[in-house]
Amino acid sequence: MRTENTTTAAATAEAPTLLIRGGRPYGEDVQDLLLEGGEIRAVGTDLEAPAGAEVIDAEGCIVLPGLVDLHTHLREPGGEEAETVETGTRAAARGGFTAVHAMANTTPVADTAGVVEQVARRGDVAGWCAVRPVGAVTVGLAGERLAELDAMAGSRARVRVFSDDGKCVHDPVLMRRALEYVKSFDGVIAQHAQDPRLTEGAQMHEGVVSAELGLAGWPAVAEESIIARDVLLAHHVGSRLHVCHLSTAGSVDIIRWAKQRGIAVTAEVTPHHLLLTDEKVRQFDAVYKVNPPLRTAEDVAAVREGLADGTIDIVATDHAPHPRDAKDREWDQAAMGMTGLETALSVVQSTMVDEGRLTWRDVARVLSEKPAEIGRDEDQGRPLAPGSPATVLVWDPRPVRIADPGEHASRSRNSPVAGLELPGANRLTVLAGRPTVRDGAIVEHP
Ligand SMILES: [Zn+2]
């Protein structure tokens, strides 16, 4: 077990010298990478292996900066039967992530400096990836008064992303104040855009399928109206807005409109909204119950298009583990949410790269560089160049296998891609010089 040094310092002390031979950085020309002392020491062709270096054959593999997830539910404190910082960060590492932003809807809620520092510390102790706590916008996620944003920003956890995710900051005055407040420390409000009145009792996307199944619907306008309001508010106060898990074609249009006007808005899409539609609900398997809900094929096409043309900035997992008894229930009683950390890159490869919509260079942008930038994390998403931290992923795009949540490191099994054939395998993940995953398996600490 690691002591409470910073992750970087502890990792550097035990960083082996690794020569990653014959991979393709960003999916481009073949280049070797030499990792030494926790840094990328050299990038080039036919690099000499220094004495004592381990040579890793990366022929045919893609080399990327370690992935960064802006939207992870680690569930600790309070939800340890679903996930812990330890199990969730192991899952992250297996997925190729080297940093996750841990959402605030824990018990207690991460709405004080004390709780965010506790979460960050547990991440350091676990050591599988960097854990950046997200702070709540309002006290107890109750939507009534602002939490101590300033204290969380100034704490050792250096919080820059604030969100009531799971709930929408619905009061426009409170949303305005939150946006104004975070300007002083360059923070961002990440909004879960869902009008609560328009979605009371909603069970799935409102449309043809919900009408046929007789389930209460969740209209697209419940998401779009909040996004439209919030981009205007962000523009009015000159602050940064981030839109969580955007899921409808109309939402893509609004973000496109806002960006054309120079409004400082960024947006994310989840792997499941890139892949699945509300047709899945016909199976009445609660693994497909999620917030926001799975939408239509037209919406899936629009979010793919939006990600391809840069309207949507990033992919974020919204990894939302639940214990079996919260999901093995009647549809209307089951919990909302899906796991995603361990399959995110495979889904992005299959829906976006293999279909010619994104290059691997784009994947580095949407799954590493941009999320690090939005979260103001300078240790992540760095260029694959000498002097950068040795925080990298070696990804083999060739293997195809059936996704099996039974093999996952997450404590929960509610994966919406279980049983699907997905491409790609994590050959090696390195966090600040220390391997965390080799050939898909966690590298246990010495
Ligand atoms: Zn959410």
Side-chain angles (χ1 to χ4, degrees):
M1 180 65 72
R2 185 84 62 66
T3 53
E4 290 183 16
N5 296 323
T6 71
T7 304
T8 307
T12 304
E14 59 195 64
T17 301
L18 301 173
L19 180 62
I20 299 171
R21 171 87 78 198
R24 293 190 294 132
Y26 306 106
E28 295 169 358
D29 296 340
V30 171
Q31 303 247 279
D32 304 337
L33 266 79
L34 178 63
L35 313 184
E36 197 174 35
E39 284 189 353
I40 299 177
R41 188 73 67 197
V43 179
T45 46
D46 302 320
L47 294 182
E48 286 285 323
E54 180 192 351
V55 179
I56 290 167
D57 176 12
E59 185 273 321
C61 294
I62 311 297
V63 185
L64 298 171
L67 308 185
V68 177
D69 191 19
L70 203 64
H71 193 146
T72 306
H73 296 275
L74 291 178
R75 301 297 192 214
E76 188 179 356
E80 289 85 354
E81 74 285 4
E83 198 79 283
T84 62
V85 172
E86 171 78 18
T87 62
T89 54
R90 280 174 172 254
R94 287 192 76 243
F97 290 89
T98 49
V100 297
H101 286 69
M103 277 297 173
N105 62 340
T106 48
T107 313
V109 170
D111 58 3
T112 64
V115 178
V116 294
E117 286 187 345
Q118 180 194 10
V119 171
R121 217 161 30 235
R122 288 190 189 179
D124 287 348
V125 170
W128 307 113
C129 69
V131 173
R132 298 287 311 273
V134 174
V137 178
T138 68
V139 175
L141 309 177
E144 284 162 10
R145 57 200 171 86
L146 287 188
E148 300 165 0
L149 308 184
D150 200 30
M152 290 187 272
S155 75
R156 286 192 308 163
R158 293 187 309 110
V159 176
R160 289 296 175 272
V161 182
F162 295 87
S163 183
D164 276 3
D165 182 60
K167 293 190 174 169
C168 182
V169 181
H170 187 227
D171 179 342
V173 176
L174 212 50
M175 186 63 182
R176 174 188 180 160
R177 287 212 195 101
L179 286 163
E180 281 169 345
Y181 210 92
V182 297
K183 281 168 72 174
S184 62
F185 43 79
D186 197 22
V188 63
I189 303 294
Q191 175 72 295
H192 172 114
Q194 176 190 359
D195 188 294
R197 291 279 289 141
L198 285 170
T199 51
E200 275 173 17
Q203 295 290 319
M204 66 172 295
H205 172 68
E206 179 180 303
V208 174
V209 181
S210 69
E212 283 181 28
L213 298 178
L215 288 175
W218 189 312
V221 66
E223 174 173 310
E224 294 157 5
S225 57
I226 297 291
I227 296 176
R229 179 199 77 176
D230 286 351
V231 295
L232 295 173
L233 276 176
H235 185 51
H236 183 63
V237 306
S239 189
R240 286 205 290 147
L241 170 72
H242 178 72
V243 178
C244 295
H245 44 52
L246 172 158
S247 68
T248 77
S251 298
V252 178
D253 285 341
I254 294 163
I255 300 292
R256 197 175 277 126
W257 176 91
K259 287 190 166 181
Q260 280 164 0
R261 276 153 188 78
I263 298 173
V265 60
T266 52
E268 74 192 28
V269 64
T270 69
H272 47 273
H273 288 111
L274 286 169
L275 182 68
L276 303 171
T277 71
D278 62 348
E279 290 291 333
K280 286 283 182 196
V281 180
R282 293 183 191 281
Q283 300 175 30
F284 282 108
D285 181 341
V287 77
Y288 300 117
K289 188 173 178 186
V290 66
N291 174 356
L294 299 177
R295 304 286 190 182
T296 67
E298 292 72 42
D299 295 309
V300 169
V303 294
R304 288 179 177 185
E305 172 80 36
L307 184 62
D309 72 16
T311 302
I312 298 172
D313 300 83
I314 68 170
V315 175
T317 68
D318 194 9
H319 177 81
H322 286 291
R324 188 152 286 165
D325 64 355
K327 278 293 197 182
D328 277 355
R329 297 170 174 239
E330 293 300 307
W331 181 271
D332 63 330
Q333 299 295 314
M336 290 186 278
M338 303 172 163
T339 61
L341 285 169
E342 288 167 87
T343 52
L345 184 52
S346 289
V347 172
V348 170
Q349 184 186 330
S350 73
T351 58
M352 301 300 294
V353 181
D354 294 348
E355 299 283 323
R357 295 185 178 93
L358 289 183
T359 64
W360 288 106
R361 172 73 70 169
D362 296 325
V363 171
R365 174 169 49 79
V366 303
L367 268 165
S368 178
E369 294 159 7
K370 262 298 208 180
E373 186 191 317
I374 293 166
R376 298 295 191 251
D377 185 344
E378 291 174 1
D379 298 328
Q380 299 282 332
R382 307 307 300 172
L384 296 173
S388 289
T391 296
V392 302
L393 166 63
V394 180
W395 180 256
D396 188 341
R398 295 164 296 186
V400 174
R401 44 186 317 197
I402 308 266
D404 176 7
E407 296 173 354
H408 286 176
S410 170
R411 184 165 279 182
S412 292
R413 296 286 173 263
N414 52 307
S415 165
V417 298
L420 297 184
E421 269 197 350
L422 288 175
N426 182 348
R427 282 289 312 281
L428 176 73
T429 301
V430 182
L431 171 64
R434 193 178 62 79
T436 55
V437 174
R438 285 175 188 266
D439 292 322
I442 291 285
V443 180
E444 300 295 340
H445 299 317

